[in-house]
Amino acid sequence: MTDIARLSRLHAALMTPYDADGEISEPCLRNLIAHVRRQGIDGFYVGGSTGEALLQTTEERLRVLSIVAENAGDAARIGQVGAISTREAVRLAKGCAELGYDAVSAIPPIYFPHGKDAIIGYYSDILEAAGGLPLIIYNIPAMSGVTFTPDDLRRLLDMPNVIGIKQTSIDMYQMEQLRRAFPDALLLNGYDEMLLAGTVAGANGGVGSTYNVIGSNYVEMIAALRRGEIEAAQMLQAKSNALIDVLVEVGVFPGLKYLLYRLGVIQTPVCRKPLATLSSSTSERLNAAVAGLTAWA
C-alpha cells in the first residue's frame, strides 16, 4: 500500500494521560489506544497539540511515540515531531524512523519569527533525519502564528518526500485550492467540527481531538457521506458539534481529559500545567454529557 493510500483515513490526535503527580501514565495510555481502536479509528497522530507534546520533554515525547508503536497494532502511525528548535525536531524524527512510523509531521518552528526560507530549511532538516519517512506539513496558523500562503504551501508540497498537509484551518477555499493544485497529495482535515466540510472540499482523511471520545461518530459520518447519504452525514456532524460547543466553553483539552476520566478510560483528568485540570465542581455541563457518551464509546 502506498503511503498516501495507507494514510488516507481518520487519525485520532492522541491524548497523553497523566497520573495524579502529572507524570505520563503508561497503563492509561495503552488503555486509551485500545479505546480508540474499539471505536473503529485505525490511525494515530501522536505528539500533536492534543497530546500536549510541547509541554513535555524530548524524552517524554519519545516514550509516548514508543508506547504507541508497541500497542497500535496495524493502525497507521504519524509522529508529530515539530518543536521550537530544529535540534529537537531532528531527534524526534530519527526516533519515528527507528520505531517504524508511517510518516512524520511537523508544525513550523514557533515563537521566534522566521522567514519562509528558514522554515523551508527546518523542514529539510527534518526530512533528512527521518530516514526516508514521508513528511506531512502541519498547518495550524491559529496556534503556530505562522501563516502560509497558497504559494508557500505549494513550495512545501514541491519538496521531495513531502506528501501532504494536515490542514487545521477554517479556510475551505484553500483546502479546495490545494486539492485542485495537488490532486495526488494527502490532505488531512484538522478541525473536527468541519470534517464533513473539509472532506467535501477535498480532504482524504482527518486528524481529530474528539476522535479520542466519539471516534465512532466520525467513522459513521464518513461512511454515510460515501454512501451519498448527505442528510445523515450532516446530522452526525451536528451531533459531534453539539459536544464540541461545550468543550470550547470549558477548554477543549481539559474537557476531553475529563470525559475520558469519567468514562473510565483514564485514571485522572490531569493536564500538564499550565493547562487547567477540570474537576466535577468545574464541569457541570460535561457531567450532563457523560451519560450520552457511553452510547458512543
Side-chain angles (χ1 to χ4, degrees):
M1 186 182 292
T2 65
D3 296 320
I4 290 177
R6 176 164 168 76
L7 296 170
S8 297
R9 59 181 68 187
L10 299 181
H11 305 262
L14 194 65
M15 307 206 82
T16 305
Y18 301 106
D19 62 23
D21 295 322
E23 300 299 325
I24 292 172
S25 172
E26 296 186 13
C28 287
L29 180 54
R30 289 191 289 269
N31 195 39
L32 176 57
I33 293 166
H35 175 73
V36 169
R37 292 301 309 272
R38 285 194 298 269
Q39 296 180 74
I41 298 292
D42 56 1
F44 290 96
Y45 189 90
V46 187
S49 308
T50 309
E52 304 171 50
L54 295 183
L55 301 177
Q56 298 166 0
T57 67
T58 306
E59 289 71 24
E60 286 177 317
R61 294 179 69 177
L62 286 168
R63 184 58 187 146
V64 170
L65 289 164
S66 178
I67 293 168
V68 176
E70 293 165 3
N71 292 274
D74 61 355
R77 300 185 300 273
I78 302 170
Q80 199 291 119
V81 303
I84 193 170
S85 74
T86 298
R87 178 173 294 189
E88 181 179 1
V90 161
R91 185 177 174 195
L92 291 164
K94 289 179 179 177
C96 286
E98 292 167 358
L99 291 166
Y101 270 65
D102 294 287
V104 294
S105 183
I107 57 170
I110 61 171
Y111 185 73
F112 295 103
H114 301 288
K116 295 297 171 58
D117 287 344
I119 294 174
I120 292 288
Y122 160 89
Y123 282 119
S124 295
D125 288 337
I126 290 172
L127 279 165
E128 183 178 355
L133 291 184
L135 171 64
I136 301 162
I137 304 299
Y138 186 174
N139 183 28
I140 182 167
M143 295 184 73
S144 71
V146 177
T147 299
F148 289 127
T149 67
D151 286 343
D152 292 332
L153 293 174
R154 290 185 182 93
R155 185 179 176 191
L156 289 165
L157 283 168
D158 281 337
M159 295 174 67
N161 225 22
V162 173
I163 63 167
I165 298 173
K166 178 180 181 285
Q167 181 75 345
T168 306
S169 168
I170 63 172
D171 188 347
M172 292 297 110
Y173 179 38
Q174 189 177 75
M175 180 80 83
E176 188 280 328
Q177 286 179 307
L178 289 167
R179 175 52 68 216
R180 189 158 22 104
F182 295 91
D184 299 323
L186 177 70
L187 296 180
L188 297 176
N189 182 82
Y191 276 129
D192 303 17
E193 60 270 34
M194 300 185 72
L195 177 59
L196 180 58
T199 302
V200 172
N204 46 2
V207 178
S209 305
T210 56
Y211 300 7
N212 287 272
V213 176
I214 53 171
S216 59
N217 198 65
Y218 295 106
V219 172
E220 187 179 351
M221 186 189 80
I222 295 300
L225 179 63
R226 289 173 178 167
R227 293 192 301 266
E229 299 172 2
I230 305 303
E231 289 186 5
Q234 290 173 326
M235 290 178 63
L236 289 161
Q237 181 71 79
K239 182 179 178 181
S240 297
N241 288 2
L243 177 64
I244 292 170
D245 288 345
V246 179
L247 290 169
V248 169
E249 289 184 16
V250 301
V252 175
F253 303 149
L256 284 170
K257 279 277 186 73
Y258 183 79
L259 290 175
L260 289 169
Y261 163 67
R262 286 294 308 277
L263 290 169
V265 179
I266 61 178
Q267 293 181 347
T268 78
V270 170
C271 294
R272 180 64 59 88
K273 291 180 177 180
L275 285 175
T277 294
L278 300 183
S279 65
S280 58
S281 63
T282 58
S283 308
E284 183 176 347
R285 292 198 64 188
L286 286 178
N287 289 333
V290 170
L293 287 178
T294 57
W296 296 12

